[in-house]
Structures are given as structure tokens and as C-alpha cells.
Amino acid sequence: MISLVEAQEIVIGGCHKLEPVLTDCQQMSGRVVAQDVVATEFIPPFANSAVDGFAVRAQDVTAAGVELEVLGVIGAGHIANYVIGVGQTARIMTGAPVPQGADAIVMIEDATVISETRVRCNKPAQIGDAIREIGEDVKTSDVVFAAGSVINPAGVGVLAAINARQVLTYPRLRVAMLSTGDELVINGGELKPGQIRESNLTMLATMISATDCEVINLGIIDDDEAKLEKILREVATRCDAIVTSGGVGQGDFDVVKIVLSRIADMQWMQMAIKPAKPFAFGRLKTSDSRVIPVFGLPGNPVSSMISFEMLARPALRKMMGHTQNLTRPKVKAIVDKQLKRRRDGKIHLMRVFGTFGNDGRLHVRDTGPQGSHQLAATALANGLALVPDGEGLAAGSEVEVMLLG
Ligand code: AMP
Ligand code: MG
């Protein structure tokens, strides 16, 4: 058996970043930029008002009670064709360019409108009041996003604001997935004796999408070597990674194992964790010399989910250019109710639900039966407690918890 960390090194180390491509800024949420994004424009592009109010000369409004002549109204997107002179002002809207002559804005809340042409300022003004200066947010030649940055929705807005219409970016992955098993029923039909409903593909499709990848769902594949080989070779020409579910355990003569061993460079691993002990990682060379990683997940639903989290997800993130937070964050938590286990040389990844207590710390308790086939308790969990080998952890002890989502 190898440790989880060793397995992660093998799997993540065996995957490569994809070639960056030019991507429209609207498609950039969640993407990693492959080169520095440098601003070629100022934001804001001109000095403008931060409030609705009156554009004044600060030297005219040194005390409360000053009355000014109103020359007109300046809306956002419009330029005043006059200059603010001594004793004069203009009504101005948020985002409108500050007119010539003015150097401060008095908020509408601090003014009393006397008539259409006269206003009283109820507070003194200082130069620069409520004015947003040119380039206050971003300046030309600023590196707005360094290579390797992850673009979030606000980042998409910034790209639009600096007119970066296309950006060199690591692409979303196309991830093909398939399941094997004669017992699996996928179409909602009646269960015959010995059959169960397929759940992994539905779960994994959701997890792959949540990892920001595109899903190519190949469904359940029959126990036919030639057919499976043909499907895998074909899909490899139009995907970036393959996830399989089932048939990676020891002593399992599933067709997936036979075919993958033949067409890909596979490593069959046994990890010192529970659940999700078996895992297969491989590299499949395509006819056009691309290397497609293959993640062979075990069929037990909880194992499938946990090995995707621990091994496939970090590797897929690496391929999409991520360098940070490949795995989920871990925090120290307090065990609220004894976490029971037996000594077996493995770390147990127990499904727990955590809430923050008044002490500011995360408190966890298990969500129910912990078998690798018992997905219902996993569905209630928001964390995996990494319970070290031994007899479990008593209430009140500390445990490391990986936060899920
Ligand atoms: P395997 O890894 O193929 O040996 O399967 C281990 C266990 O997981 C068996 O009980 C299977 O019936 C179950 N299993 C395998 N694939 C799936 C699936 N796609 N959905 C639900 N259960 C599955
Ligand atoms: Mg099977």
C-alpha cells in the first residue's frame, strides 16, 4: 500500500497543463490566465463624480450656507459645454465627467435646492471631494492579472473594463467518463433480481462540471473488450482526460482493467486510506501523440466520490493551469461526538458535518454509516475527517478536516 500523498504525487505529477488558447473575456470565469494581463487603458478613463450632487470650486464653498448659481445638469456620458466660474455650479450625476473649473462635488444630501438656477451648500467643500480620479482603479501598463491568476466574476468585469476582449488562457478540459458493471441499471426501469441503479456517473458528471470541466458521458459500457477499446480510442481523440468507474479492485477481471492495461500505461494502486483503497492511473497515447490521463475510480459510490476528490480533481485542476489550492482546504476541527474506527494501517476519511461554534472553531460529527457503499451519509457531509490509524478519536479531540465545497 502507498500513502495518499504518494498517490497524489504520482497522479498529479503524471498530468500536464494543456496548451493555452485565446479565450473571449465572457468565457473567462474560473479560468487561469497563461500570461500577464496588462492594462492598456485607465479605469476610470476620466475624472468623474462619485455621487449625485453639485460640481463646485472648493474655494467658493469654504463654509456652510454658500449659495451658487446652477448652470445646468450633467448626466453620465455627457460633457458640459461650459466652465464652472466663481460662484457657479452644475448639477452632476454619478459617473458624469467633472466639468472644467470644478474641483469638488457636494453631495445632493448636503445641498438645498432653492430654484432651478440656485442651490445652497450646507457643508464646506474640500478639493477632490467625491471625485473619482482618472486611473484610480487601474492604470495603463498595470499588470492587472499575473500569469497563473484565476479569473472570478469580478475579474471578468475587470477584463471587460480594460477592453481585454481575448485573453491567453488554459482551456476547460473535456472529460470523458464511463461506468462498467452488468448489475447497473441506468434508465429508470424496473430492477431485475441482482440489479442496482447506477449512481456514480450521475454523481461524477456533477463533480466534473463543478471542477469546471465539460463532461462527455459515455454511459455504461458492456463487458466487450473490442467494443470498449474502440470507444476509448475514439473518445481519446476528442477529450483531454478519461474517468472510469468500477473494476479497479484486486482480483477483478473487469474488461476495463484488461483493456486499459493493454492500451494505456497504467499504474494500479492500493492506497492506505479507507474508503477508496484501489485506484488506477494511466496515460493513454493518442494517434496524434497527445497523452490522455485516465483516472480509474473504484465502483463503490463513496470510494468513487472520495478518489475523485483526492486524486482526479487536483490533477484536472493542474491541467487547467491551477497552481494553488489543487486539493480542498483542510482545517483543524473539534470532534463533538466520538469518531469510532479500528486499527488497520489506514487513514480513515470519515464523512462529517461541521458547524462553527461560538468558540470560532469548526465542530464535527459523523453523518451516519461509513461503509463505502453507503452514499446517503456521504450526501449529508460537508467535510472529510482524516482520522489517523488507531482506535478512533474521543469527543473533544482535534481532527484535521478537508472541507468539501
Ligand atoms: P467494482 O468496483 O466494479 O468492483 O464495484 C464495487 C461495488 O460498487 C459493487 O457493489 C458495484 O455494484 C458498485 N458499483 C459499481 N459501479 C457502480 C455505479 N456506477 N453506480 C453504483 N454502484 C456501482
Ligand atoms: Mg464492477
PDB file of all heavy atoms in Angstrom, residues 279-311:
ATOM      1  N   PHE A 279      -7.075   2.334  -6.742  1.00  0.00           N
ATOM      2  CA  PHE A 279      -7.165   3.434  -7.707  1.00  0.00           C
ATOM      3  C   PHE A 279      -6.232   3.096  -8.859  1.00  0.00           C
ATOM      4  O   PHE A 279      -5.177   2.511  -8.653  1.00  0.00           O
ATOM      5  CB  PHE A 279      -6.724   4.758  -7.064  1.00  0.00           C
ATOM      6  CG  PHE A 279      -6.953   5.953  -7.955  1.00  0.00           C
ATOM      7  CD1 PHE A 279      -8.201   6.541  -8.038  1.00  0.00           C
ATOM      8  CD2 PHE A 279      -5.919   6.488  -8.724  1.00  0.00           C
ATOM      9  CE1 PHE A 279      -8.431   7.636  -8.862  1.00  0.00           C
ATOM     10  CE2 PHE A 279      -6.137   7.584  -9.552  1.00  0.00           C
ATOM     11  CZ  PHE A 279      -7.389   8.160  -9.616  1.00  0.00           C
ATOM     12  N   ALA A 280      -6.648   3.458 -10.058  1.00  0.00           N
ATOM     13  CA  ALA A 280      -5.780   3.222 -11.208  1.00  0.00           C
ATOM     14  C   ALA A 280      -5.508   4.552 -11.893  1.00  0.00           C
ATOM     15  O   ALA A 280      -6.424   5.367 -12.044  1.00  0.00           O
ATOM     16  CB  ALA A 280      -6.447   2.265 -12.180  1.00  0.00           C
ATOM     17  N   PHE A 281      -4.249   4.757 -12.247  1.00  0.00           N
ATOM     18  CA  PHE A 281      -3.917   5.963 -13.012  1.00  0.00           C
ATOM     19  C   PHE A 281      -3.145   5.543 -14.251  1.00  0.00           C
ATOM     20  O   PHE A 281      -2.268   4.688 -14.179  1.00  0.00           O
ATOM     21  CB  PHE A 281      -3.065   6.917 -12.177  1.00  0.00           C
ATOM     22  CG  PHE A 281      -2.591   8.110 -12.973  1.00  0.00           C
ATOM     23  CD1 PHE A 281      -3.506   9.046 -13.446  1.00  0.00           C
ATOM     24  CD2 PHE A 281      -1.244   8.264 -13.284  1.00  0.00           C
ATOM     25  CE1 PHE A 281      -3.085  10.133 -14.205  1.00  0.00           C
ATOM     26  CE2 PHE A 281      -0.818   9.348 -14.037  1.00  0.00           C
ATOM     27  CZ  PHE A 281      -1.736  10.283 -14.498  1.00  0.00           C
ATOM     28  N   GLY A 282      -3.490   6.132 -15.357  1.00  0.00           N
ATOM     29  CA  GLY A 282      -2.790   5.752 -16.570  1.00  0.00           C
ATOM     30  C   GLY A 282      -2.650   6.893 -17.543  1.00  0.00           C
ATOM     31  O   GLY A 282      -3.229   7.963 -17.357  1.00  0.00           O
ATOM     32  N   ARG A 283      -1.844   6.641 -18.542  1.00  0.00           N
ATOM     33  CA  ARG A 283      -1.630   7.618 -19.612  1.00  0.00           C
ATOM     34  C   ARG A 283      -1.859   6.908 -20.934  1.00  0.00           C
ATOM     35  O   ARG A 283      -1.213   5.911 -21.244  1.00  0.00           O
ATOM     36  CB  ARG A 283      -0.209   8.185 -19.504  1.00  0.00           C
ATOM     37  CG  ARG A 283      -0.027   9.042 -18.237  1.00  0.00           C
ATOM     38  CD  ARG A 283       1.411   9.085 -17.757  1.00  0.00           C
ATOM     39  NE  ARG A 283       2.324   9.535 -18.777  1.00  0.00           N
ATOM     40  CZ  ARG A 283       2.649  10.811 -18.998  1.00  0.00           C
ATOM     41  NH1 ARG A 283       2.133  11.765 -18.259  1.00  0.00           N
ATOM     42  NH2 ARG A 283       3.493  11.130 -19.951  1.00  0.00           N
ATOM     43  N   LEU A 284      -2.804   7.448 -21.684  1.00  0.00           N
ATOM     44  CA  LEU A 284      -3.177   6.840 -22.961  1.00  0.00           C
ATOM     45  C   LEU A 284      -2.672   7.739 -24.085  1.00  0.00           C
ATOM     46  O   LEU A 284      -3.046   8.908 -24.156  1.00  0.00           O
ATOM     47  CB  LEU A 284      -4.709   6.714 -22.995  1.00  0.00           C
ATOM     48  CG  LEU A 284      -5.384   6.282 -24.285  1.00  0.00           C
ATOM     49  CD1 LEU A 284      -4.913   4.903 -24.715  1.00  0.00           C
ATOM     50  CD2 LEU A 284      -6.898   6.246 -24.080  1.00  0.00           C
ATOM     51  N   LYS A 285      -1.792   7.177 -24.948  1.00  0.00           N
ATOM     52  CA  LYS A 285      -1.271   7.964 -26.077  1.00  0.00           C
ATOM     53  C   LYS A 285      -2.255   7.883 -27.239  1.00  0.00           C
ATOM     54  O   LYS A 285      -2.706   6.811 -27.601  1.00  0.00           O
ATOM     55  CB  LYS A 285       0.083   7.412 -26.534  1.00  0.00           C
ATOM     56  CG  LYS A 285       1.236   7.887 -25.697  1.00  0.00           C
ATOM     57  CD  LYS A 285       2.491   8.141 -26.566  1.00  0.00           C
ATOM     58  CE  LYS A 285       3.640   8.619 -25.698  1.00  0.00           C
ATOM     59  NZ  LYS A 285       4.220   7.502 -24.902  1.00  0.00           N
ATOM     60  N   THR A 286      -2.558   9.035 -27.816  1.00  0.00           N
ATOM     61  CA  THR A 286      -3.467   9.040 -28.959  1.00  0.00           C
ATOM     62  C   THR A 286      -2.657   8.952 -30.244  1.00  0.00           C
ATOM     63  O   THR A 286      -1.431   9.117 -30.232  1.00  0.00           O
ATOM     64  CB  THR A 286      -4.295  10.341 -28.996  1.00  0.00           C
ATOM     65  OG1 THR A 286      -3.386  11.429 -29.174  1.00  0.00           O
ATOM     66  CG2 THR A 286      -5.079  10.546 -27.731  1.00  0.00           C
ATOM     67  N   SER A 287      -3.363   8.725 -31.355  1.00  0.00           N
ATOM     68  CA  SER A 287      -2.673   8.612 -32.641  1.00  0.00           C
ATOM     69  C   SER A 287      -1.982   9.927 -33.008  1.00  0.00           C
ATOM     70  O   SER A 287      -0.977   9.928 -33.715  1.00  0.00           O
ATOM     71  CB  SER A 287      -3.670   8.205 -33.725  1.00  0.00           C
ATOM     72  OG  SER A 287      -4.844   8.982 -33.589  1.00  0.00           O
ATOM     73  N   ASP A 288      -2.491  11.060 -32.479  1.00  0.00           N
ATOM     74  CA  ASP A 288      -1.820  12.334 -32.764  1.00  0.00           C
ATOM     75  C   ASP A 288      -0.878  12.745 -31.619  1.00  0.00           C
ATOM     76  O   ASP A 288      -0.626  13.919 -31.391  1.00  0.00           O
ATOM     77  CB  ASP A 288      -2.834  13.443 -33.098  1.00  0.00           C
ATOM     78  CG  ASP A 288      -3.857  13.636 -31.974  1.00  0.00           C
ATOM     79  OD1 ASP A 288      -3.903  12.783 -31.065  1.00  0.00           O
ATOM     80  OD2 ASP A 288      -4.590  14.639 -32.008  1.00  0.00           O
ATOM     81  N   SER A 289      -0.359  11.729 -30.901  1.00  0.00           N
ATOM     82  CA  SER A 289       0.682  11.903 -29.862  1.00  0.00           C
ATOM     83  C   SER A 289       0.284  12.785 -28.691  1.00  0.00           C
ATOM     84  O   SER A 289       1.143  13.388 -28.057  1.00  0.00           O
ATOM     85  CB  SER A 289       1.982  12.480 -30.430  1.00  0.00           C
ATOM     86  OG  SER A 289       2.348  11.866 -31.569  1.00  0.00           O
ATOM     87  N   ARG A 290      -0.996  12.887 -28.428  1.00  0.00           N
ATOM     88  CA  ARG A 290      -1.391  13.543 -27.181  1.00  0.00           C
ATOM     89  C   ARG A 290      -1.410  12.478 -26.097  1.00  0.00           C
ATOM     90  O   ARG A 290      -1.588  11.298 -26.382  1.00  0.00           O
ATOM     91  CB  ARG A 290      -2.776  14.187 -27.322  1.00  0.00           C
ATOM     92  CG  ARG A 290      -2.763  15.421 -28.227  1.00  0.00           C
ATOM     93  CD  ARG A 290      -4.102  16.134 -28.215  1.00  0.00           C
ATOM     94  NE  ARG A 290      -5.212  15.227 -28.380  1.00  0.00           N
ATOM     95  CZ  ARG A 290      -6.309  15.230 -27.603  1.00  0.00           C
ATOM     96  NH1 ARG A 290      -6.432  16.093 -26.629  1.00  0.00           N
ATOM     97  NH2 ARG A 290      -7.292  14.377 -27.829  1.00  0.00           N
ATOM     98  N   VAL A 291      -1.229  12.909 -24.850  1.00  0.00           N
ATOM     99  CA  VAL A 291      -1.284  11.966 -23.738  1.00  0.00           C
ATOM    100  C   VAL A 291      -2.530  12.283 -22.916  1.00  0.00           C
ATOM    101  O   VAL A 291      -2.693  13.386 -22.418  1.00  0.00           O
ATOM    102  CB  VAL A 291      -0.015  12.057 -22.866  1.00  0.00           C
ATOM    103  CG1 VAL A 291      -0.131  11.118 -21.669  1.00  0.00           C
ATOM    104  CG2 VAL A 291       1.222  11.726 -23.684  1.00  0.00           C
ATOM    105  N   ILE A 292      -3.412  11.303 -22.832  1.00  0.00           N
ATOM    106  CA  ILE A 292      -4.681  11.493 -22.117  1.00  0.00           C
ATOM    107  C   ILE A 292      -4.597  10.763 -20.781  1.00  0.00           C
ATOM    108  O   ILE A 292      -4.466   9.537 -20.753  1.00  0.00           O
ATOM    109  CB  ILE A 292      -5.857  10.897 -22.939  1.00  0.00           C
ATOM    110  CG1 ILE A 292      -5.864  11.434 -24.372  1.00  0.00           C
ATOM    111  CG2 ILE A 292      -7.193  11.123 -22.247  1.00  0.00           C
ATOM    112  CD1 ILE A 292      -6.141  12.902 -24.482  1.00  0.00           C
ATOM    113  N   PRO A 293      -4.652  11.493 -19.675  1.00  0.00           N
ATOM    114  CA  PRO A 293      -4.675  10.802 -18.386  1.00  0.00           C
ATOM    115  C   PRO A 293      -5.972  10.015 -18.205  1.00  0.00           C
ATOM    116  O   PRO A 293      -7.034  10.479 -18.623  1.00  0.00           O
ATOM    117  CB  PRO A 293      -4.601  11.934 -17.359  1.00  0.00           C
ATOM    118  CG  PRO A 293      -4.283  13.165 -18.110  1.00  0.00           C
ATOM    119  CD  PRO A 293      -4.689  12.954 -19.531  1.00  0.00           C
ATOM    120  N   VAL A 294      -5.831   8.853 -17.585  1.00  0.00           N
ATOM    121  CA  VAL A 294      -7.001   8.023 -17.288  1.00  0.00           C
ATOM    122  C   VAL A 294      -7.072   7.847 -15.770  1.00  0.00           C
ATOM    123  O   VAL A 294      -6.088   7.447 -15.144  1.00  0.00           O
ATOM    124  CB  VAL A 294      -6.887   6.633 -17.955  1.00  0.00           C
ATOM    125  CG1 VAL A 294      -8.123   5.793 -17.660  1.00  0.00           C
ATOM    126  CG2 VAL A 294      -6.662   6.773 -19.452  1.00  0.00           C
ATOM    127  N   PHE A 295      -8.206   8.206 -15.195  1.00  0.00           N
ATOM    128  CA  PHE A 295      -8.419   8.049 -13.758  1.00  0.00           C
ATOM    129  C   PHE A 295      -9.398   6.905 -13.559  1.00  0.00           C
ATOM    130  O   PHE A 295     -10.570   7.019 -13.911  1.00  0.00           O
ATOM    131  CB  PHE A 295      -8.985   9.337 -13.149  1.00  0.00           C
ATOM    132  CG  PHE A 295      -8.154  10.561 -13.455  1.00  0.00           C
ATOM    133  CD1 PHE A 295      -8.503  11.422 -14.494  1.00  0.00           C
ATOM    134  CD2 PHE A 295      -7.004  10.834 -12.734  1.00  0.00           C
ATOM    135  CE1 PHE A 295      -7.734  12.535 -14.794  1.00  0.00           C
ATOM    136  CE2 PHE A 295      -6.221  11.947 -13.030  1.00  0.00           C
ATOM    137  CZ  PHE A 295      -6.589  12.807 -14.066  1.00  0.00           C
ATOM    138  N   GLY A 296      -8.902   5.795 -13.018  1.00  0.00           N
ATOM    139  CA  GLY A 296      -9.749   4.621 -12.806  1.00  0.00           C
ATOM    140  C   GLY A 296     -10.249   4.610 -11.370  1.00  0.00           C
ATOM    141  O   GLY A 296      -9.520   4.260 -10.441  1.00  0.00           O
ATOM    142  N   LEU A 297     -11.500   4.992 -11.209  1.00  0.00           N
ATOM    143  CA  LEU A 297     -12.075   5.084  -9.863  1.00  0.00           C
ATOM    144  C   LEU A 297     -12.745   3.770  -9.500  1.00  0.00           C
ATOM    145  O   LEU A 297     -13.316   3.101 -10.368  1.00  0.00           O
ATOM    146  CB  LEU A 297     -13.132   6.189  -9.793  1.00  0.00           C
ATOM    147  CG  LEU A 297     -12.822   7.550 -10.404  1.00  0.00           C
ATOM    148  CD1 LEU A 297     -14.014   8.488 -10.196  1.00  0.00           C
ATOM    149  CD2 LEU A 297     -11.584   8.152  -9.788  1.00  0.00           C
ATOM    150  N   PRO A 298     -12.728   3.414  -8.224  1.00  0.00           N
ATOM    151  CA  PRO A 298     -13.457   2.218  -7.811  1.00  0.00           C
ATOM    152  C   PRO A 298     -14.967   2.411  -7.950  1.00  0.00           C
ATOM    153  O   PRO A 298     -15.446   3.547  -7.998  1.00  0.00           O
ATOM    154  CB  PRO A 298     -13.061   2.039  -6.343  1.00  0.00           C
ATOM    155  CG  PRO A 298     -12.440   3.303  -5.911  1.00  0.00           C
ATOM    156  CD  PRO A 298     -12.036   4.076  -7.117  1.00  0.00           C
ATOM    157  N   GLY A 299     -15.700   1.302  -7.999  1.00  0.00           N
ATOM    158  CA  GLY A 299     -17.141   1.375  -8.250  1.00  0.00           C
ATOM    159  C   GLY A 299     -17.983   1.721  -7.044  1.00  0.00           C
ATOM    160  O   GLY A 299     -19.052   2.316  -7.181  1.00  0.00           O
ATOM    161  N   ASN A 300     -17.508   1.339  -5.840  1.00  0.00           N
ATOM    162  CA  ASN A 300     -18.301   1.674  -4.666  1.00  0.00           C
ATOM    163  C   ASN A 300     -18.519   3.178  -4.636  1.00  0.00           C
ATOM    164  O   ASN A 300     -17.549   3.945  -4.707  1.00  0.00           O
ATOM    165  CB  ASN A 300     -17.586   1.224  -3.392  1.00  0.00           C
ATOM    166  CG  ASN A 300     -17.938  -0.201  -3.045  1.00  0.00           C
ATOM    167  OD1 ASN A 300     -19.104  -0.567  -3.030  1.00  0.00           O
ATOM    168  ND2 ASN A 300     -16.917  -1.000  -2.775  1.00  0.00           N
ATOM    169  N   PRO A 301     -19.758   3.616  -4.553  1.00  0.00           N
ATOM    170  CA  PRO A 301     -20.041   5.042  -4.739  1.00  0.00           C
ATOM    171  C   PRO A 301     -19.245   5.986  -3.838  1.00  0.00           C
ATOM    172  O   PRO A 301     -18.751   7.015  -4.313  1.00  0.00           O
ATOM    173  CB  PRO A 301     -21.544   5.130  -4.472  1.00  0.00           C
ATOM    174  CG  PRO A 301     -22.061   3.793  -4.906  1.00  0.00           C
ATOM    175  CD  PRO A 301     -21.001   2.817  -4.509  1.00  0.00           C
ATOM    176  N   VAL A 302     -19.098   5.643  -2.567  1.00  0.00           N
ATOM    177  CA  VAL A 302     -18.364   6.561  -1.677  1.00  0.00           C
ATOM    178  C   VAL A 302     -16.881   6.587  -2.073  1.00  0.00           C
ATOM    179  O   VAL A 302     -16.238   7.644  -2.094  1.00  0.00           O
ATOM    180  CB  VAL A 302     -18.519   6.149  -0.195  1.00  0.00           C
ATOM    181  CG1 VAL A 302     -17.768   7.123   0.699  1.00  0.00           C
ATOM    182  CG2 VAL A 302     -19.988   6.090   0.194  1.00  0.00           C
ATOM    183  N   SER A 303     -16.349   5.425  -2.440  1.00  0.00           N
ATOM    184  CA  SER A 303     -14.946   5.351  -2.862  1.00  0.00           C
ATOM    185  C   SER A 303     -14.750   6.149  -4.146  1.00  0.00           C
ATOM    186  O   SER A 303     -13.740   6.830  -4.337  1.00  0.00           O
ATOM    187  CB  SER A 303     -14.538   3.899  -3.117  1.00  0.00           C
ATOM    188  OG  SER A 303     -14.819   3.125  -1.977  1.00  0.00           O
ATOM    189  N   SER A 304     -15.716   6.037  -5.031  1.00  0.00           N
ATOM    190  CA  SER A 304     -15.662   6.741  -6.299  1.00  0.00           C
ATOM    191  C   SER A 304     -15.593   8.251  -6.051  1.00  0.00           C
ATOM    192  O   SER A 304     -14.761   8.966  -6.605  1.00  0.00           O
ATOM    193  CB  SER A 304     -16.938   6.396  -7.066  1.00  0.00           C
ATOM    194  OG  SER A 304     -16.706   6.321  -8.427  1.00  0.00           O
ATOM    195  N   MET A 305     -16.471   8.711  -5.185  1.00  0.00           N
ATOM    196  CA  MET A 305     -16.539  10.129  -4.863  1.00  0.00           C
ATOM    197  C   MET A 305     -15.242  10.603  -4.206  1.00  0.00           C
ATOM    198  O   MET A 305     -14.669  11.623  -4.583  1.00  0.00           O
ATOM    199  CB  MET A 305     -17.751  10.344  -3.937  1.00  0.00           C
ATOM    200  CG  MET A 305     -17.994  11.742  -3.490  1.00  0.00           C
ATOM    201  SD  MET A 305     -17.203  11.970  -1.902  1.00  0.00           S
ATOM    202  CE  MET A 305     -17.588  13.649  -1.561  1.00  0.00           C
ATOM    203  N   ILE A 306     -14.749   9.824  -3.229  1.00  0.00           N
ATOM    204  CA  ILE A 306     -13.569  10.263  -2.483  1.00  0.00           C
ATOM    205  C   ILE A 306     -12.319  10.206  -3.358  1.00  0.00           C
ATOM    206  O   ILE A 306     -11.480  11.110  -3.322  1.00  0.00           O
ATOM    207  CB  ILE A 306     -13.420   9.441  -1.176  1.00  0.00           C
ATOM    208  CG1 ILE A 306     -14.512   9.908  -0.206  1.00  0.00           C
ATOM    209  CG2 ILE A 306     -12.026   9.579  -0.582  1.00  0.00           C
ATOM    210  CD1 ILE A 306     -14.466   9.306   1.169  1.00  0.00           C
ATOM    211  N   SER A 307     -12.199   9.179  -4.188  1.00  0.00           N
ATOM    212  CA  SER A 307     -10.985   9.151  -5.014  1.00  0.00           C
ATOM    213  C   SER A 307     -11.035  10.218  -6.099  1.00  0.00           C
ATOM    214  O   SER A 307     -10.001  10.754  -6.492  1.00  0.00           O
ATOM    215  CB  SER A 307     -10.687   7.764  -5.572  1.00  0.00           C
ATOM    216  OG  SER A 307     -11.828   7.209  -6.131  1.00  0.00           O
ATOM    217  N   PHE A 308     -12.232  10.581  -6.570  1.00  0.00           N
ATOM    218  CA  PHE A 308     -12.300  11.721  -7.494  1.00  0.00           C
ATOM    219  C   PHE A 308     -11.813  12.976  -6.781  1.00  0.00           C
ATOM    220  O   PHE A 308     -10.973  13.726  -7.306  1.00  0.00           O
ATOM    221  CB  PHE A 308     -13.733  11.940  -8.021  1.00  0.00           C
ATOM    222  CG  PHE A 308     -13.802  13.069  -9.012  1.00  0.00           C
ATOM    223  CD1 PHE A 308     -13.595  12.842 -10.366  1.00  0.00           C
ATOM    224  CD2 PHE A 308     -14.005  14.384  -8.587  1.00  0.00           C
ATOM    225  CE1 PHE A 308     -13.597  13.893 -11.281  1.00  0.00           C
ATOM    226  CE2 PHE A 308     -14.006  15.439  -9.489  1.00  0.00           C
ATOM    227  CZ  PHE A 308     -13.804  15.196 -10.838  1.00  0.00           C
ATOM    228  N   GLU A 309     -12.318  13.204  -5.570  1.00  0.00           N
ATOM    229  CA  GLU A 309     -11.923  14.391  -4.790  1.00  0.00           C
ATOM    230  C   GLU A 309     -10.418  14.446  -4.547  1.00  0.00           C
ATOM    231  O   GLU A 309      -9.798  15.488  -4.704  1.00  0.00           O
ATOM    232  CB  GLU A 309     -12.606  14.350  -3.407  1.00  0.00           C
ATOM    233  CG  GLU A 309     -13.942  14.998  -3.327  1.00  0.00           C
ATOM    234  CD  GLU A 309     -13.905  16.477  -3.651  1.00  0.00           C
ATOM    235  OE1 GLU A 309     -12.866  17.143  -3.447  1.00  0.00           O
ATOM    236  OE2 GLU A 309     -14.927  16.970  -4.133  1.00  0.00           O
ATOM    237  N   MET A 310      -9.866  13.311  -4.133  1.00  0.00           N
ATOM    238  CA  MET A 310      -8.484  13.291  -3.652  1.00  0.00           C
ATOM    239  C   MET A 310      -7.465  13.237  -4.786  1.00  0.00           C
ATOM    240  O   MET A 310      -6.351  13.723  -4.637  1.00  0.00           O
ATOM    241  CB  MET A 310      -8.267  12.081  -2.729  1.00  0.00           C
ATOM    242  CG  MET A 310      -9.079  12.142  -1.461  1.00  0.00           C
ATOM    243  SD  MET A 310      -8.483  13.514  -0.451  1.00  0.00           S
ATOM    244  CE  MET A 310      -9.703  13.528   0.843  1.00  0.00           C
ATOM    245  N   LEU A 311      -7.820  12.612  -5.906  1.00  0.00           N
ATOM    246  CA  LEU A 311      -6.821  12.365  -6.950  1.00  0.00           C
ATOM    247  C   LEU A 311      -7.184  12.987  -8.293  1.00  0.00           C
ATOM    248  O   LEU A 311      -6.372  13.690  -8.891  1.00  0.00           O
ATOM    249  CB  LEU A 311      -6.604  10.857  -7.097  1.00  0.00           C
ATOM    250  CG  LEU A 311      -6.043  10.222  -5.822  1.00  0.00           C
ATOM    251  CD1 LEU A 311      -6.429   8.778  -5.719  1.00  0.00           C
ATOM    252  CD2 LEU A 311      -4.536  10.382  -5.764  1.00  0.00           C
TER     253      LEU A 311
END
